Amino acid sequence: MGKFRFHWLLFPFLRLSSSYRRCPLSNRSLIIASVCVIYLLLVVSQIGYSKQHRDMRTDKDKYRLTRGLYTLDISDAQSDNVDFQTGANSVVPTRSNVVYITLKTKRLKPANIRGTLRPKLRKKVKRITEANSAFTQNKRGTLLRDAGQIQRNFPHKNFLEETKDVHYKVLDIIPTHHTDSQAGSHISSIRIYSLRAPPWLSPQDVKAMRFLADANILRIKEVIHGNYTSLLIFEGEISVSLDNQRDTQGNNVCGGQCGVISSPVDTTEVFAFHLDRVLGLNRTLPAVSRRFSFLNDGLPGPVLLWDASLYPEGLAAGRATVRMTWGEYQSSLKQKCWHKNISPKPDSDCSTVHHYEWSKLALFDFLLQIHNRLDKSCCGFRPRQEDVCVELGLDAECGNQKHIQLTNIIHRGHDPRHLVFTDNKGFFDRNEDNLDFRLLEGIKELPESAVSVLQSKRLREKLLQSLFLDETYWESQGGRQGIDKLIDVIERRAKVLLTYINAHGIKVITMNV
């Protein structure tokens, strides 16, 4: 169309062609030059117009394409969220108006981990009751100064007190009450983006995790009872009641809902909780990672749900513990105590624990390499000089293994048949050529629910989804990259365990007890 306009504009000049031939040479050159200039200007303007039109069309296409990709990303994320919701009873999301990002990303190469946290080298010192305190003298001083400041602000209250029956110190902390506007802006560190949590976490687990991570702290108590390691317990403010919180012996340890604060170096407690739930064992106490500005220099540390049923005779008597030697334990495995609800003979070496519980404990401890229950003397692997068993000289007992006492075998007072896995101090820096196979000695059956997860190759996916819920723990381990390194260790040990099962003919059976 533009070319026709050019010829039409040049038509008057063509009409003058007859007179053009009669013009002198100088005038003729001038006319030619003028026509060429006018034609050149028209061509340049037309080219500029066409280029501008093409740019506008390109921008519109880019806008449509970008808009389409954005819509696709949101729809894909929402479809992943639907996959994440499969399973259990519905829960209230802790995050709103947020698009859930799937964790199913392809890793370029497997991570190689040599270790996470190694025990610090410590000089051998004489341990006394006061040394078992969860507070260092510096932390005691900090709390005392804080208590003094609160005491000056509120002189009518006694915030720091001691009792006679059970020795503990109490520090009351004035809770921060959220107004309606503030409550809406509060973001929980438990990240649940959908109406359903992962199916391996029960509604009670989710409730406990939210309490441990988000509850306002009313007071903190350091409890010292006999020769046991002291406990650092906080009492939280929450409107929903949790089970197994009250001490029936009148020790006044926990007046409402409470949690136990552990050291920041015991980070495997949180990982152990999620691994236990993913494997379907359900033997650990709920645990999350949380920061306290007045403790451990604000470093995140594990917080476990307080369970008073572990102390049926009161805090002074300690937890309900099964006492037996390694020899008695091996004998009980052969007798299959309480299997098919058959009561053992009075002269047997059976304890109150059901036979299947030892299989679940052995599998769990092997994956995390927890040796403080079945192998406190480190007889099944090569310990380091800084390990507790070497520092205390317990490795010398390996010459007479039958008489070595099992430790930390805990059950609830009202349920002596089932174990509770506590003090889950695992080791991620132990190589495959130095694993503690003594933990599996005498085990002839393993739970089908746990082994099936290891065989399905979905262990990583489930652990990522589960650990992602605890934002504080996730970030404290270095995000996705750090979590992947921990899971790499568990996956390698799972392969070793599956090989061990096949080589030793261990039966994989259903253990619904």
Side-chain angles (χ1 to χ4, degrees):
M1 188 68 185
K3 293 182 179 179
F4 290 111
R5 289 202 301 266
F6 298 156
H7 297 160
W8 182 79
L9 291 173
L10 294 175
F11 181 74
F13 296 98
L14 296 177
R15 293 178 59 184
L16 298 175
S17 59
S18 57
S19 60
Y20 168 77
R21 295 188 181 93
R22 294 191 294 269
C23 293
L25 182 60
S26 59
N27 293 338
R28 193 180 307 172
S29 301
L30 181 62
I31 292 173
I32 293 174
S34 300
V35 170
C36 290
V37 170
I38 294 173
Y39 183 81
L40 181 62
L41 292 176
L42 292 173
V43 170
V44 170
S45 63
Q46 180 65 20
I47 292 175
Y49 173 80
S50 301
K51 183 178 181 182
Q52 183 179 4
H53 183 66
R54 286 196 302 270
D55 292 341
M56 291 178 62
R57 292 187 61 183
T58 303
D59 292 340
K60 290 181 179 180
D61 292 339
K62 287 183 178 180
Y63 174 75
R64 294 192 189 100
L65 178 60
T66 304
R67 187 176 181 182
L69 289 176
Y70 178 73
T71 306
L72 179 61
D73 286 342
I74 293 181
S75 62
D76 289 344
Q78 290 174 345
S79 65
D80 291 334
N81 194 17
V82 172
D83 295 337
F84 181 74
Q85 294 176 8
T86 58
N89 298 327
S90 61
V91 296
V92 180
T94 55
R95 308 293 176 92
S96 58
N97 299 327
V98 179
V99 177
Y100 178 76
I101 302 175
T102 178
L103 298 175
K104 299 178 183 178
T105 57
K106 184 177 181 181
R107 299 171 59 243
L108 298 179
K109 59 181 180 179
N112 183 20
I113 182 173
R114 181 71 184 98
T116 50
L117 293 175
R118 289 176 175 268
K120 295 182 179 179
L121 293 175
R122 295 182 177 88
K123 297 180 179 180
K124 293 183 179 180
V125 295
K126 182 179 179 181
R127 286 178 167 84
I128 56 177
T129 303
E130 188 66 21
N132 288 334
S133 172
F135 286 136
T136 62
Q137 294 297 328
N138 184 28
K139 300 305 177 186
R140 284 182 183 273
T142 301
L143 286 179
L144 289 172
R145 288 193 299 271
D146 294 342
Q149 179 66 34
I150 298 174
Q151 184 69 45
R152 288 191 294 271
N153 296 336
F154 300 89
H156 61 283
K157 286 191 174 184
N158 182 20
F159 291 99
L160 200 62
E161 62 183 39
E162 295 187 14
T163 62
K164 296 180 180 179
D165 49 356
V166 177
H167 175 66
Y168 63 86
K169 292 182 177 294
V170 182
L171 174 66
D172 281 0
I173 299 176
I174 304 301
T176 303
H177 295 282
H178 298 285
T179 61
D180 293 340
S181 59
Q182 290 174 334
S185 62
H186 175 69
I187 299 179
S188 172
S189 63
I190 303 301
R191 301 184 287 194
I192 299 180
Y193 293 95
S194 64
L195 296 177
R196 297 181 186 275
W200 50 85
L201 293 175
S202 67
Q204 192 69 12
D205 287 334
V206 175
K207 187 188 302 181
M209 291 172 64
R210 286 177 170 173
F211 161 73
L212 294 173
D214 304 325
N216 291 328
I217 307 301
L218 296 178
R219 60 187 56 84
I220 290 181
K221 302 177 182 180
E222 184 192 18
V223 183
I224 303 175
H225 49 106
N227 295 324
Y228 299 99
T229 303
S230 63
L231 298 176
L232 196 58
I233 300 176
F234 77 85
E235 183 176 340
E237 180 187 40
I238 191 171
S239 58
V240 181
S241 177
L242 300 174
D243 296 335
N244 300 326
Q245 291 283 305
R246 298 185 180 277
D247 189 347
T248 58
Q249 299 299 317
N251 285 330
N252 196 27
V253 176
C254 178
Q257 293 81 42
C258 298
V260 181
I261 305 174
S262 298
S263 171
V265 299
D266 299 332
T267 55
T268 49
E269 286 284 3
V270 179
F271 192 97
F273 163 66
H274 290 276
L275 178 63
D276 168 73
R277 295 304 194 265
V278 166
L279 295 178
L281 302 177
N282 300 319
R283 291 296 180 266
T284 62
L285 299 174
V288 302
S289 188
R290 179 167 179 167
R291 299 177 186 270
F292 295 92
S293 59
F294 47 84
L295 285 176
N296 304 313
D297 299 324
L299 295 175
V303 179
L304 289 79
L305 187 67
W306 164 257
D307 191 343
S309 65
L310 301 179
Y311 301 86
E313 298 181 1
L315 198 61
R319 294 181 292 191
T321 305
V322 176
R323 304 187 184 277
M324 61 191 314
T325 63
W326 174 261
E328 293 170 344
Y329 164 63
Q330 290 296 317
S331 177
S332 68
L333 291 179
K334 296 177 181 179
Q335 298 181 52
K336 296 186 177 182
C337 303
W338 302 103
H339 183 51
K340 297 182 179 179
N341 294 324
I342 300 176
S343 300
K345 298 179 180 179
D347 57 347
S348 66
D349 292 326
C350 290
S351 65
T352 60
V353 180
H354 193 280
H355 175 66
Y356 288 162
E357 293 297 294
W358 301 113
S359 298
K360 297 176 181 179
L361 177 65
L363 181 144
F364 182 75
D365 282 2
F366 182 82
L367 291 177
L368 290 173
Q369 285 297 291
I370 301 173
H371 65 269
N372 62 2
R373 283 186 274 258
L374 300 176
D375 191 16
K376 69 169 185 176
S377 300
C378 305
C379 301
F381 65 101
R382 300 185 301 274
R384 300 171 301 204
Q385 292 298 320
E386 59 267 25
D387 287 338
V388 176
C389 58
V390 177
E391 285 189 346
L392 300 180
L394 300 178
D395 53 333
E397 301 176 352
C398 295
N400 190 9
Q401 299 184 16
K402 289 185 177 181
H403 299 286
I404 297 178
Q405 287 284 338
L406 304 187
T407 57
N408 195 30
I409 308 298
I410 309 300
H411 62 81
R412 292 183 172 89
H414 63 275
D415 187 11
R417 298 285 181 270
H418 300 96
L419 296 176
V420 179
F421 302 164
T422 62
D423 300 334
N424 300 305
K425 183 174 177 56
F427 293 88
F428 288 92
D429 56 350
R430 192 172 296 163
N431 295 333
E432 282 70 35
D433 60 351
N434 192 30
L435 296 178
D436 192 354
F437 284 94
R438 179 180 168 86
L439 304 174
L440 300 173
E441 188 171 334
I443 299 298
K444 302 301 180 183
E445 306 94 4
L446 286 175
E448 186 273 337
S449 61
V451 176
S452 63
V453 175
L454 303 181
Q455 294 173 333
S456 67
K457 298 182 180 181
R458 295 191 62 194
L459 178 63
R460 177 180 298 275
E461 175 188 342
K462 292 185 176 182
L463 281 175
L464 285 173
Q465 286 186 353
S466 194
L467 292 168
F468 181 78
L469 300 182
D470 192 338
E471 182 177 11
T472 303
Y473 179 78
W474 182 275
E475 298 300 333
S476 68
Q477 299 302 309
R480 173 68 184 270
Q481 183 177 4
I483 296 295
D484 269 327
K485 290 181 179 180
L486 299 180
I487 300 177
D488 285 340
V489 176
I490 302 300
E491 282 190 333
R492 290 198 294 268
R493 292 175 183 174
K495 292 180 181 179
V496 174
L497 178 60
L498 294 176
T499 303
Y500 182 92
I501 292 173
N502 295 329
H504 290 78
I506 295 179
K507 298 179 181 179
V508 179
I509 61 176
T510 303
M511 296 184 177
N512 295 328
V513 178

